[in-house]
Amino acid sequence: MSSLSSSARSKKSALMSTLPLAGIVPKEETNAIQFIRDNPEYDGRGITIGIMDTGIDPGAIGLQHTSCYNKNNDPQQTKLVDTIDCSGSGDVLLSELPVNATWNEDHWEVTGLTGRTLKFNPQWNVEPLPGSTSSSTGEVQVRLGMKSAYELFPKRLVTRVKQHRKLLFDEKQRSHALLLRKQLQDWSLKNNNIKTATTEQIKIKEDLEARLEFLEPKTTVEGDHPCNDPGPVYDCVVFYDGQNYRAAIDVNEDGDLSCAKALADYHKFKEFDQFSTVDMYNYAVNIYDDASILSIVCDASPHGSHVAGIASAYHGDDPHHNLNGVAPGANIVSLKIGDTRLGSMETGTSLVRGLMEAIRLKCDVINLSYGEAAALSNSGRFNELAMEAVQRYGIVFVSSAGNNGPALTTVGAPGGTCSSVLSIGAYVSPAMMEAGYSMIIKNPKWASSADDDDSDKGEGSGAVITAEQQQGDSSGVDIGSSSVMQDSLTGSTYTWSSVGPASDGAQGVDVCAPGGAITCVPNWTLQKKQLMNGTSMSSPHAAGCVALLLSACKIRGIPCNPNRIRRALQNTARKMDNLTNLQQGHGMIQVDKAWEYLLAHKDDPYENVNFETCVDNRPGQPRGIYLRQPEEVAAKQVFSINVNPKFGNDDDVDLETQQRRVEFEMNVALETTAPEWVKVPDVLVLMHNGRSFKVEVDPTNLPPGLHTAHINGYDVSTTTGSDERGGAIFSVPVTVLVPLEQSNNINLGKLAFKPSEVKRYFLNVPTGATWMDVSIRDARSQSVDKDASPRLVVLHCLQLLPHSPYRDNEKERMLNLLPGQMSVTSVPVHGGVMCELAIARYWSAVGLTVVEVVVDFRGVTPVKSQLQMFAGGGGTSVRIESSLKDENVSPTASLNKWLTPIRPKAPGLISALGERDVWPTGNKKIYQLLLTYELDQPEAGSFVPRIPSLQGYLYESAYESQLVMIFDSNKKLIGVADAFRQEEIKAPKGKITLRVQVRHDQPEMLTKLKDQAIWIERKLSKEITLSAYASHEAMMIGSTTFKKRALQKGTSLVAFFAEPASDKLPKGIKCGDVLAGSVSYESSEGNLPGSGKKPGGYSIRYVAGPPVESKDEGKGKEPEVPDERSEAEKLEEAVLKLKVDHLQKLSGDDKEDAKFETLCEAIQKEHPNHIPLLIVIMNHQDQERWRSKRLKRIVEACDDLISKINQSDLVQYYGVTGYFDKEDGKACKERKAMDEKKEALIEALARKARAVSDLERENNDKEVEDLGTTFEQSLVDLKKWVDVESSNKYAVLTLEKERRLGRSGLVLKLITKLLEKDGEDTKGGICPFSKAELLNRRAEVLETMGYSHLAQNDKMW
């Protein structure tokens, strides 16, 4: 096909130029695109952006080169200058001791950890490892490792690779199954009457059926069954080429490395490779700690590459700059903090390592598009380190505000909570809606025009959310008219973009940037670009804007540090009328205006100063004034604001810095944006070490709603005219929430919403309320509006409690309402605590949106919010009362979780970590505490490890991090948990090991946790229902349980809960274990809307006591026969027993074999017929450590024992039924002696059969002939005394018999059955099997059957 003609190309270009493509990677909103057009050289070049995210694909489109590419020979033209896995999820622990590779003709080779022979590329230069002892000629030392692909691949990629591998696997399975069905059909034709088939013919059929069932299991198989896909398992080898360590990975799983890439640390040569064309997954490597750790660096999700694309992608031929990132000239460093093992969740370890690497690599900007709800703002170890990275090392730290709006105080940590971090809200513009979301944009009717006024829009008496709006006024819109349908979508923050202030009153959101884009994603997604939105996208846009400004400053030689950049962005951001300052912060970033600000203040030395502010007369010294509770806004208050100028770090004591501190004096003009209710003094004379001033806040005359203000401080010396000032040097936010009048029932009426509008109502929750029912009805009339399409409305209710993250006290629902449809949401509440009720029209919802809202408070209040029972404590009681209205009560309680505390096996070990874990200031080492716990898992099941003192805290945690790694009995990693891990760990039966790592730079902090107990939480297989009673007497006698009754307003009653019966407790429960569940008091019956009770109920716990002794009636003691032996005979027997016991002890020591033989010979000479002695001798020879060399001696020992037992006497004794008189002492004694002889005979026959089998397999005809027997004959002799097939103690003999008969299917069936209990059934037998041994045997059988695909899976498990 011919290419397009020039005319066609011109038409295509003309068409493209008319399309609204500016919103694909939006840059017009921040004027970033115009800034580059006006200043082409200020495009981020010379600036390095550290992307702390899920990792970046080095092969992703747009991330190959900077804008300097092909313009000159700038060495910085490679976009991705380094890529580092800070999470450790790609770590491969290499062999502790080097392994010798050998020279074979023209290449080196070594046996990898998977068992494959790894043949090196002949072109590689392989030298001895540094510091290693010299190897012999033809040998060189390397280090080996192994890694499962599914530990590296993101879950989405694992799913795709599994699907592909399953197609290939199923094809092989079908071909084998087809052959087996044909063989079964032939068998049926040949044996048409099964009743006449011989035993051997039946066995042939059973073998074929066993093979088919193995290929096509009737039930779903789990775990390490070969029909399950373990995924690719890669051998890794690290060697030294004389200058650099290099790593090669056997991505083809065939051992052939002749064409493999040997990669060095990425930053040295910018090399990366791909695992396969199936996955299209790129990776790089780094090698640490003298080649003891290989880090395979690959991304955990598309998120990181997309973020990097927004910040800095460069697509070359893009004349309109629609596709490029914000700063296409900037370099990128990938700092992977998303742990693949945790589904890309960040960890404390990865965050701190990310900061360390950003400092080491001299990043100018950090972008962190991550965050979590925090219990405390501006606190914790990460906050301290982030502050140091910013103020000491001059890195501008940008982070997402969070995606948890629309309610107030939903900003996440660290973006919205840490003073050192710029928090970015997410904005969506009409251009983005058109290009990114392909939406229909109508002519705006309500669209607001943004202006550049620096004042706080909608603050003070003119708050955006007015008292009239609080009461449901629709701003003059006729909600009954279809003309309202003419409204159009306008620019706004996304509905879900988190909103300030922070919980301590700080701004929360600093500025806004576009929060969506279509840009690059990793190649493994099989697409080059993707639409994503979130504050995760607005943050890298802001980081790109910062890179533009830093680039311009560097080129122009203008001084710049994070404090200058922050002020430039905040003081020049564009305010948007339709948004509160808590949504937009200071407004939309304006790069050009910020650049003008930097130019104007380039000579101002105090722009470098960090002015810290706090309210120093309030507990915790919050950073802002935040009046939220009803009592707080009921009276005028006076606050003391402390302003403290910080010159560098406190430990900077050079003469210049100290002189600046001494000489600093600034006259600060103070202003408030709401003078009607916030009063401040006119001036503050500020010196180093800080000063405070008083602020009077009088909210008593403010109407219900949200009211915000700022107290701004201006350097008088920067005043340019009588009224014009420079930008504020500091700003203290003031937020006041005035609630509606308290009522048990609140009708908000009909509410009409403008596009993207959020209406906020602050509810004074009555004391005694425990939940509220929020009824929302779509108030449109379909007959009038002729519109049956649904409207997307967001309901978000939130209360703030001290030291509790907002996520623990919120309820959010997305309601897609049809005309006339009602939805009722029951929301748990805390009485006496203000609750925000935010209702929003979703940002993309088009058309008339009108709803009716009614709030109804309900409540049955327990005097004890948490109930606890102890075993034997007589149950528990609780008084419940109703303060709001009459309620029906019917207490119910149940236990559904089982928690077991465990202590570490030994006190934890504290040690310094390696080269990746050294904080740069003072080269401070990070230490780790390792704690090891063991758990016996009686059956396969799930559990969650809990560490209440550490979990639930991340950014605000006092410790750097904690990580829990869970291993099964075969040391296979089966799960990982960290600060927020809530998913259950699926664990097999057997011993489970939990390894907990806690990190900190102060060993004494770790010492506190050396004996830390953890809890293992399991779900009960069956919920335990607790009976409720109306009186203590009824509970004790177990009479009629509590019946539903009415609880009148202002009254109370008592309910009693009996402890669970012992037979209802889970098997294996121990003293001190806890059963947890919930209790509810309300009766949910009736026709009232909502759930009828508090969602989630209240907590109830039962502490278990000592286990109940099992009722064992006993069999009675056997009658004793008087011992008529002489004392000399008793002594002789005791001495003989002592000798045999000592001989048994010697048998267990490899070094005492010679002593064993000498003593054995002496004892046997005196007591040749002593059965216990002969058993010890037989077992000694049949030990696995040397049995292969002593097979003939084993047979001889067995024969010796067999010859000493009169088998005829045994046959005669046991007779037909083996009956004996259990009341006769002599009969009991005789029976015991005969049983011991029989057991010894059976064991000797079994061990002999196994030894004979092994001799025959060695094909030593002479030795076999000398034995005078065969395996088959030995097995026949054994079967006379025991049913071999029915006992797994003799499984090794059954397997050998079926193998010799060629019945591999029955061999597989037995091995698989033994694996169900990991070989435990063979313990105590003649050949105990471990799980690993059974897996190896099964793999061998599968290979001999031609099922190599299954054998490969088995080996990898």
Side-chain angles (χ1 to χ4, degrees):
M1 183 181 293
S2 61
S3 59
L4 290 173
S5 65
S6 58
S7 174
R9 285 197 299 270
S10 298
K11 290 181 179 179
K12 180 180 178 182
S13 177
L15 176 62
M16 292 293 289
S17 65
T18 62
L19 292 177
L21 301 179
I24 295 177
V25 183
K27 295 179 283 292
E28 291 182 348
E29 294 80 355
T30 56
N31 287 338
I33 193 167
Q34 189 59 47
F35 181 77
I36 292 179
R37 287 170 181 160
D38 294 340
N39 309 280
E41 300 296 311
Y42 303 169
D43 63 352
R45 65 191 61 187
I47 300 302
T48 300
I49 305 175
I51 303 292
M52 292 176 64
D53 215 282
T54 62
I56 296 171
D57 180 2
I61 187 171
L63 299 181
Q64 305 303 301
H65 308 287
T66 69
S67 57
C68 302
Y69 185 59
N70 284 341
K71 293 180 180 178
N72 52 50
N73 294 320
D74 188 341
Q76 294 296 314
Q77 62 184 246
T78 300
K79 174 70 68 176
L80 187 64
V81 295
D82 209 347
T83 179
I84 297 163
D85 180 5
C86 302
S87 72
S89 57
D91 282 4
V92 181
L93 292 179
L94 301 173
S95 50
E96 187 173 349
L97 296 176
V99 177
N100 286 334
T102 57
W103 183 257
N104 186 354
E105 295 182 357
D106 64 345
H107 65 270
W108 294 99
E109 62 181 44
V110 68
T111 301
L113 297 186
T114 66
R116 306 184 192 108
T117 298
L118 307 178
K119 300 177 181 179
F120 292 14
N121 187 328
Q123 304 300 317
W124 293 347
N125 180 39
V126 184
E127 299 285 344
L129 295 174
S132 63
T133 56
S134 58
S135 303
S136 59
T137 305
E139 292 185 345
V140 67
Q141 291 186 328
V142 299
R143 290 188 184 271
L144 302 176
M146 183 172 66
K147 192 71 171 178
S148 167
Y150 291 169
E151 291 179 13
L152 292 170
F153 291 8
K155 289 182 180 179
R156 180 171 145 198
L157 179 58
V158 169
T159 300
R160 180 164 65 79
V161 171
K162 279 187 173 181
Q163 290 173 346
H164 173 80
R165 289 169 64 94
K166 190 174 188 303
L167 290 175
L168 302 178
F169 182 84
D170 288 349
E171 185 179 346
K172 295 175 182 177
Q173 291 284 83
R174 282 193 297 270
S175 64
H176 290 296
L178 184 63
L179 178 60
L180 286 171
R181 287 195 175 88
K182 177 67 169 58
Q183 291 173 331
L184 280 168
Q185 185 180 20
D186 292 344
W187 187 96
S188 298
L189 292 173
K190 186 176 180 180
N191 304 278
N192 51 9
N193 187 355
I194 194 169
K195 294 181 179 180
T196 62
T198 65
T199 301
E200 183 180 354
Q201 289 171 332
I202 294 295
K203 283 288 186 181
I204 290 173
K205 182 187 179 189
E206 290 177 354
D207 181 66
L208 291 171
E209 289 173 337
R211 292 176 184 230
L212 186 60
E213 184 177 352
F214 192 84
L215 289 174
E216 299 176 344
K218 295 178 182 178
T219 58
T220 303
V221 292
E222 296 183 355
D224 48 16
H225 192 282
C227 287
N228 285 338
D229 178 20
V233 178
Y234 306 127
D235 273 300
C236 307
V237 59
V238 171
F239 64 90
Y240 189 65
D241 69 0
Q243 292 183 316
N244 301 291
Y245 286 112
R246 289 188 175 271
I249 302 175
D250 181 18
V251 295
N252 295 321
E253 297 181 276
D254 58 5
D256 184 5
L257 302 177
S258 60
C259 297
K261 282 186 178 180
L263 303 177
D265 291 348
Y266 175 84
H267 72 91
K268 294 180 178 178
F269 307 105
K270 311 296 188 294
E271 295 174 324
F272 63 93
D273 201 359
Q274 184 183 86
F275 286 106
S276 75
T277 56
V278 173
D279 50 70
M280 297 293 287
Y281 195 37
N282 292 322
Y283 70 93
V285 305
N286 290 302
I287 302 166
Y288 299 106
D289 297 335
D290 297 324
S292 62
I293 296 175
L294 166 64
S295 174
I296 303 175
V297 189
C298 38
D299 61 279
S301 92
H303 192 270
S305 297
H306 194 272
V307 164
I310 292 173
S312 185
Y314 175 64
H315 293 279
D317 186 16
D318 181 19
H320 301 289
H321 299 282
N322 289 326
L323 306 179
N324 286 344
V326 177
N331 293 114
I332 292 292
V333 169
S334 173
L335 304 169
K336 178 186 175 183
I337 62 163
D339 195 309
T340 307
R341 298 166 296 188
L342 295 166
S344 77
M345 175 77 184
E346 80 272 44
T347 66
T349 296
S350 63
L351 288 165
V352 173
R353 281 181 178 168
L355 290 178
M356 291 175 181
E357 293 294 344
I359 294 169
R360 181 180 68 84
L361 295 170
K362 294 180 169 50
C363 291
D364 301 283
V365 191
I366 291 175
N367 180 81
L368 177 65
S369 289
Y370 268 78
E372 308 293 339
L376 285 174
S377 290
N378 209 40
S379 67
R381 175 164 164 74
F382 179 82
N383 178 69
E384 296 170 3
L385 297 178
M387 178 66 79
E388 188 169 356
V390 172
Q391 297 300 337
R392 181 186 296 277
Y393 295 100
I395 301 175
V396 181
F397 198 153
V398 182
S399 186
S400 50
N403 304 326
N404 302 291
L408 303 178
T409 315
T410 49
V411 288
T417 65
C418 294
S419 295
S420 57
V421 180
L422 273 167
S423 174
I424 315 300
Y427 181 84
V428 56
S429 66
M432 294 166 64
M433 296 177 192
E434 273 191 298
Y437 298 92
S438 301
M439 294 171 62
I440 301 172
I441 307 298
K442 298 177 182 178
N443 291 327
K445 178 179 179 180
W446 278 338
S448 62
S449 59
D451 64 60
D452 296 327
D453 187 1
D454 286 339
S455 63
D456 286 336
K457 296 299 181 182
E459 296 189 335
S461 58
V464 170
I465 299 181
T466 64
E468 289 74 27
Q469 287 174 314
Q470 288 280 9
Q471 300 302 324
D473 180 76
S474 300
S475 303
V477 178
D478 181 3
I479 59 176
S481 169
S482 61
S483 64
V484 182
M485 286 295 294
Q486 299 303 313
D487 76 316
S488 76
L489 299 173
T490 186
S492 172
T493 52
Y494 288 89
T495 309
W496 37 254
S497 184
S498 289
V499 183
S503 59
D504 69 344
Q507 181 65 43
V509 179
D510 287 304
V511 287
C512 273
I518 299 176
T519 189
C520 52
V521 289
N523 292 346
W524 62 262
T525 63
L526 303 186
Q527 59 187 91
K528 66 180 183 179
K529 294 180 183 179
Q530 183 179 335
L531 169 65
M532 293 188 194
N533 57 26
T535 54
S536 284
M537 282 65 245
S538 61
S539 182
H541 187 113
C545 292
V546 170
L548 297 180
L549 296 173
L550 292 176
S551 177
C553 287
K554 276 193 176 184
I555 292 172
R556 293 283 295 270
I558 293 174
C560 197
N561 78 346
N563 300 317
R564 285 180 180 267
I565 292 294
R566 175 185 287 271
R567 287 197 193 91
L569 294 176
Q570 292 178 343
N571 286 323
T572 61
R574 176 169 56 88
K575 290 286 186 179
M576 294 168 280
D577 286 346
N578 56 324
L579 298 171
T580 68
N581 72 312
L582 296 179
Q583 291 172 287
Q584 65 181 314
H586 290 81
M588 178 65 67
I589 291 174
Q590 300 295 288
V591 176
D592 52 345
K593 301 291 186 183
W595 174 234
E596 292 172 6
Y597 182 96
L598 290 170
L599 285 173
H601 293 81
K602 62 184 176 61
D603 297 322
D604 184 352
Y606 297 139
E607 283 291 312
N608 291 335
V609 177
N610 176 32
F611 292 87
E612 292 184 352
T613 60
C614 70
V615 183
D616 61 6
N617 66 339
R618 289 294 184 271
Q621 297 193 335
R623 294 169 294 163
I625 297 173
Y626 192 8
L627 305 183
R628 185 179 175 98
Q629 303 309 326
E631 294 77 8
E632 292 178 318
V633 298
K636 180 172 65 176
Q637 297 191 54
V638 175
F639 299 88
S640 174
I641 307 298
N642 181 266
V643 184
N644 189 9
K646 307 290 286 188
F647 292 80
N649 295 277
D650 290 340
D651 58 356
D652 291 340
V653 292
D654 59 277
L655 179 60
E656 182 182 354
T657 303
Q658 293 285 59
Q659 197 65 37
R660 289 174 62 205
R661 289 168 178 155
V662 170
E663 295 175 355
F664 175 77
E665 180 178 347
M666 178 183 289
N667 295 324
V668 180
L670 300 174
E671 290 186 359
T672 170
T673 57
E676 302 87 357
W677 53 278
V678 178
K679 309 293 184 183
V680 297
D682 292 331
V683 68
L684 171 70
V685 180
L686 185 62
M687 276 80 69
H688 182 248
N689 292 325
R691 290 194 65 204
S692 299
F693 63 91
K694 303 297 183 183
V695 174
E696 181 184 289
V697 178
D698 184 2
T700 55
N701 293 319
L702 296 177
L706 166 65
H707 303 270
T708 62
H710 277 88
I711 301 165
N712 296 323
Y714 300 90
D715 180 2
V716 174
S717 66
T718 62
T719 303
T720 57
S722 58
D723 252 350
E724 296 183 22
R725 304 191 187 279
I729 60 168
F730 65 81
S731 184
V732 180
V734 182
T735 306
V736 173
L737 312 183
V738 180
L740 297 173
E741 184 178 347
Q742 188 178 87
S743 173
N744 295 345
N745 184 275
I746 299 174
N747 187 343
L748 298 178
K750 287 187 177 182
L751 310 177
F753 287 82
K754 302 174 185 178
S756 306
E757 185 182 2
V758 181
K759 295 183 184 293
R760 306 181 191 279
Y761 300 89
F762 304 105
L763 311 179
N764 189 353
V765 179
T767 301
T770 55
W771 87 95
M772 64 180 183
D773 289 328
V774 182
S775 303
I776 300 180
R777 187 183 71 86
D778 189 311
R780 290 175 295 155
S781 171
Q782 185 175 336
S783 60
V784 174
D785 296 302
K786 308 299 182 184
D787 181 8
S789 59
R791 292 292 182 269
L792 188 55
V793 175
V794 180
L795 168 67
H796 197 182
C797 305
L798 188 146
Q799 291 180 292
L800 281 188
L801 297 178
H803 294 271
S804 179
Y806 66 78
R807 65 169 180 266
D808 293 347
N809 302 288
E810 68 169 341
K811 177 74 173 182
E812 184 173 15
R813 285 192 67 192
M814 307 279 283
L815 306 175
N816 220 12
L817 300 175
L818 295 169
Q821 182 181 358
M822 174 185 273
S823 172
V824 180
T825 303
S826 296
V827 182
V829 294
H830 298 270
V833 179
M834 197 282 292
C835 178
E836 178 187 359
L837 174 69
I839 306 169
R841 169 176 162 179
Y842 198 67
W843 69 269
S844 60
V846 178
L848 173 67
T849 303
V850 184
V851 297
E852 287 182 327
V853 181
V854 176
V855 180
D856 186 27
F857 287 104
R858 307 276 303 278
V860 173
T861 310
V863 173
K864 292 186 289 187
S865 60
Q866 264 195 359
L867 298 184
Q868 186 158 290
M869 292 188 287
F870 295 89
T876 189
S877 64
V878 59
R879 182 167 64 87
I880 54 179
E881 55 190 24
S882 176
S883 304
L884 303 182
K885 61 181 70 174
D886 295 349
E887 294 280 3
N888 289 325
V889 295
S890 179
T892 58
S894 62
L895 305 172
N896 57 10
K897 293 178 181 177
W898 173 13
L899 295 99
T900 300
I902 55 176
R903 290 276 184 189
K905 289 174 58 181
L909 299 175
I910 298 174
S911 60
L913 291 162
E915 65 181 77
R916 287 185 292 181
D917 299 299
V918 179
W919 184 253
T921 305
N923 289 322
K924 187 184 295 183
K925 281 186 172 293
I926 307 298
Y927 292 83
Q928 67 172 355
L929 168 67
L930 283 180
L931 298 163
T932 301
Y933 303 81
E934 287 187 354
L935 166 71
D936 288 323
Q937 186 86 338
E939 299 294 338
S942 301
F943 66 85
V944 178
R946 301 284 189 194
I947 314 177
S949 61
L950 296 174
Q951 290 177 326
Y953 301 91
L954 181 57
Y955 294 95
E956 75 274 38
S957 174
Y959 287 86
E960 179 181 306
S961 68
Q962 67 281 325
L963 192 71
V964 186
M965 301 185 75
I966 302 102
F967 302 87
D968 65 12
S969 57
N970 298 308
K971 300 181 180 179
K972 176 187 173 186
L973 181 66
I974 58 174
V976 179
D978 78 324
F980 294 109
R981 174 76 187 229
Q982 299 296 325
E983 294 180 17
E984 292 184 319
I985 306 295
K986 292 183 178 179
K989 176 184 175 182
K991 186 174 76 173
I992 304 299
T993 301
L994 297 92
R995 193 164 295 140
V996 177
Q997 181 201 52
V998 188
R999 297 161 49 110
H1000 203 279
D1001 64 352
Q1002 299 177 27
E1004 55 271 23
M1005 285 288 291
L1006 300 175
T1007 302
K1008 300 176 182 179
L1009 305 176
K1010 290 184 73 171
D1011 297 307
Q1012 175 72 41
I1014 68 172
W1015 292 81
I1016 302 300
E1017 178 186 298
R1018 303 181 182 91
K1019 287 182 181 177
L1020 292 177
S1021 56
K1022 186 177 181 181
E1023 198 172 79
I1024 300 174
T1025 300
L1026 301 178
S1027 299
Y1029 299 90
S1031 69
H1032 183 269
E1033 179 187 17
M1035 179 182 70
M1036 296 308 294
I1037 65 177
S1039 63
T1040 306
T1041 56
F1042 198 107
K1043 301 298 182 183
K1044 183 179 78 169
R1045 66 179 64 179
L1047 181 61
Q1048 292 184 335
K1049 177 182 177 180
T1051 64
S1052 65
L1053 56 79
V1054 177
F1056 296 81
F1057 292 95
E1059 63 181 90
S1062 59
D1063 60 349
K1064 300 294 184 183
L1065 301 179
K1067 183 180 178 181
I1069 192 169
K1070 299 181 181 66
C1071 184
D1073 285 6
V1074 174
L1075 300 180
S1078 62
V1079 55
S1080 293
Y1081 303 104
E1082 309 86 357
S1083 171
S1084 58
E1085 299 177 11
N1087 299 321
L1088 293 175
S1091 64
K1093 60 174 64 178
K1094 178 187 176 183
Y1098 296 88
S1099 170
I1100 186 168
R1101 292 190 164 212
Y1102 169 74
V1103 181
V1108 178
E1109 296 292 334
S1110 60
K1111 296 180 180 179
D1112 187 2
E1113 301 296 334
K1115 300 178 180 179
K1117 188 178 180 181
E1118 289 185 355
E1120 294 183 0
V1121 179
D1123 191 346
E1124 298 177 351
R1125 294 177 300 167
S1126 66
E1127 293 301 319
E1129 289 173 328
K1130 292 179 184 178
L1131 178 61
E1132 183 181 359
E1133 181 181 334
V1135 171
L1136 178 57
K1137 184 178 184 303
L1138 186 62
K1139 289 180 179 180
V1140 173
D1141 289 346
H1142 185 67
L1143 193 66
Q1144 177 75 53
K1145 184 178 179 181
L1146 289 176
S1147 178
D1149 191 339
D1150 294 358
K1151 300 176 182 178
E1152 304 294 342
D1153 188 38
K1155 292 182 180 180
F1156 178 93
E1157 297 292 346
T1158 302
L1159 181 59
C1160 175
E1161 184 178 351
I1163 301 174
Q1164 195 172 14
K1165 194 172 186 179
E1166 295 179 12
H1167 305 279
N1169 300 323
H1170 189 58
I1171 300 300
L1173 172 62
L1174 298 177
I1175 291 174
V1176 171
I1177 295 171
M1178 175 183 68
N1179 289 340
H1180 177 74
Q1181 303 299 345
D1182 199 19
Q1183 293 186 73
E1184 292 298 327
R1185 52 191 162 185
W1186 52 47
R1187 74 178 305 277
S1188 62
K1189 299 178 181 179
R1190 300 186 179 186
L1191 293 173
K1192 192 171 182 181
R1193 292 168 67 178
I1194 295 170
V1195 174
E1196 290 171 351
C1198 292
D1199 281 340
D1200 190 19
L1201 177 54
I1202 293 167
S1203 69
K1204 300 301 190 295
I1205 299 174
N1206 190 323
Q1207 297 186 43
S1208 298
D1209 288 349
L1210 288 176
V1211 172
Q1212 184 178 355
Y1213 174 79
Y1214 285 101
V1216 178
T1217 63
Y1219 170 78
F1220 71 101
D1221 187 353
K1222 297 180 180 179
E1223 296 181 3
D1224 184 337
K1226 287 186 178 180
C1228 291
K1229 184 176 181 181
E1230 182 183 18
R1231 178 54 174 250
K1232 182 178 180 182
M1234 297 303 281
D1235 283 348
E1236 289 174 353
K1237 287 182 180 180
K1238 181 182 177 183
E1239 289 171 6
L1241 175 64
I1242 291 172
E1243 184 173 356
L1245 290 170
R1247 292 187 182 278
K1248 176 182 176 180
R1250 184 185 175 208
V1252 170
S1253 167
D1254 289 347
L1255 280 169
E1256 289 177 346
R1257 293 180 81 173
E1258 289 183 358
N1259 295 319
N1260 191 329
D1261 295 337
K1262 180 68 173 64
E1263 286 193 355
V1264 172
E1265 186 179 345
D1266 290 345
L1267 294 175
T1269 187
T1270 62
F1271 169 71
E1272 287 75 15
Q1273 182 58 50
S1274 299
L1275 197 58
V1276 169
D1277 293 341
L1278 176 62
K1279 286 183 176 181
K1280 293 175 183 178
W1281 295 99
V1282 70
D1283 184 358
V1284 175
E1285 280 80 8
S1286 66
S1287 174
N1288 289 331
K1289 291 171 66 176
Y1290 313 107
V1292 66
L1293 302 179
T1294 305
L1295 292 172
E1296 178 63 15
K1297 183 196 76 169
E1298 299 297 353
R1299 184 194 70 80
R1300 290 177 176 233
L1301 293 171
R1303 297 200 283 252
S1304 300
L1306 295 178
V1307 173
L1308 276 180
K1309 186 174 183 179
L1310 178 54
I1311 292 176
T1312 303
K1313 180 183 177 184
L1314 295 175
L1315 278 167
E1316 289 176 1
K1317 297 184 177 180
D1318 293 345
E1320 290 291 328
D1321 291 349
T1322 65
K1323 301 295 170 63
I1326 62 169
C1327 179
F1329 287 122
S1330 67
K1331 181 178 180 181
E1333 290 169 334
L1334 289 170
L1335 289 172
N1336 287 336
R1337 279 181 173 256
R1338 188 166 68 180
E1340 291 173 4
V1341 175
L1342 291 169
E1343 287 284 8
T1344 60
M1345 295 171 68
Y1347 299 167
S1348 57
H1349 62 299
L1350 292 171
Q1352 180 66 17
N1353 280 1
D1354 231 11
K1355 290 176 183 177
M1356 293 304 102
W1357 279 117

